[in-house]
Amino acid sequence: RRTREAAGDPPARYYAEKSEPRLAETISGLMDCRLIFVIRDPRDVLLSSKQFNQKRGDFKYGWQKDADIAPLIRWQIERIRGDVTRFDRLCESGVSGRLLRYEDMIVAPEAFAGDLSDWLGIDLDLDALAVEAREHGARHLTSKSPEASTERWRREMTEDISRLYIDGASDLLDRFGYGK
């Protein structure tokens, strides 16, 4: 692949940070940046967070002991909707942004990394990323494999809970290509 250095451009300095999407509003006004927004099917996020809490023996990510799940799902949908709206607004204002699906990264990592490398103008080292993913996965994985973490809701979610997502976030599910 052609990198900035190979093209005769000076080496660029990169900094990547996983953060709340609200931070991008501040940073975009201070420096040239590219915004990567990773979306994941919210139904799988719910199941993953529940399993992660069980693995750790605590209640995080909005979960409360013996609480009704409907308010948690509404809160999750509102949060995602706000983040997506913020992302769209930043891109409309001229910030260079890419919306990426978690599921695409898991199902086809080589294609995902290739597309992202092209957009960033750098070569992502997929082997190094695989090592990091294995180490991270050992601490955070809540399914048998990363592949098993996709469309988990189809296997583990009741129809009543799934209906809460369809009723509250049908537009988001459609926009990102998630089935119903």
Side-chain angles (χ1 to χ4, degrees):
R1 293 183 199 266
R2 184 178 162 175
T3 62
R4 292 175 53 90
E5 292 81 7
D9 294 334
R13 289 190 278 171
Y14 299 98
Y15 176 73
E17 180 61 51
K18 178 180 177 184
S19 66
E20 289 290 322
R22 291 172 207 73
L23 182 60
E25 290 175 314
T26 301
I27 291 174
S28 68
L30 300 173
M31 66 180 74
D32 183 30
C33 66
R34 292 188 183 186
L35 177 60
I36 299 171
F37 183 81
V38 179
I39 190 82
R40 183 177 180 191
D41 189 316
R43 297 163 293 190
D44 285 334
V45 172
L46 181 81
L47 293 170
S48 181
S49 67
K50 179 181 179 184
Q51 185 65 35
F52 190 76
N53 283 338
Q54 289 174 347
K55 182 177 180 178
R56 295 289 175 120
D58 59 12
F59 294 93
K60 293 184 179 178
Y61 313 109
W63 286 91
Q64 297 177 4
K65 186 176 183 177
D66 301 324
D68 179 20
I69 199 165
L72 172 60
I73 291 171
R74 283 192 299 274
W75 171 80
Q76 179 194 34
I77 291 169
E78 287 174 27
R79 188 174 171 141
I80 293 168
R81 191 177 304 287
D83 291 344
V84 168
T85 300
R86 189 171 287 106
F87 173 81
D88 289 343
R89 190 173 54 241
L90 283 165
C91 291
E92 289 167 4
S93 74
V95 172
S96 180
R98 255 334 250 279
L99 196 139
L100 305 172
R101 289 178 3 132
Y102 166 87
E103 294 80 5
D104 297 333
M105 177 176 57
I106 297 302
V107 172
E110 292 83 6
F112 183 91
D115 291 344
L116 191 54
S117 291
D118 291 343
W119 183 67
L120 291 172
I122 60 174
D123 285 329
L124 295 176
D125 183 342
L126 198 54
D127 292 332
L129 292 173
V131 169
E132 174 66 25
R134 279 194 302 277
E135 292 171 1
H136 179 78
R139 294 186 306 272
H140 295 279
L141 194 64
T142 61
S143 57
K144 293 182 181 184
S145 69
E147 295 79 12
S149 73
T150 64
E151 295 196 346
R152 183 177 182 170
W153 66 272
R154 291 185 188 276
R155 300 180 301 276
E156 299 178 24
M157 187 172 279
T158 67
E159 191 172 323
D160 290 346
I161 294 174
S162 182
R163 172 61 49 197
L164 293 172
Y165 283 99
I166 293 168
D167 292 346
S170 187
D171 60 323
L172 294 172
L173 297 175
D174 288 342
R175 176 176 175 181
F176 303 118
Y178 297 128
K180 297 178 190 170

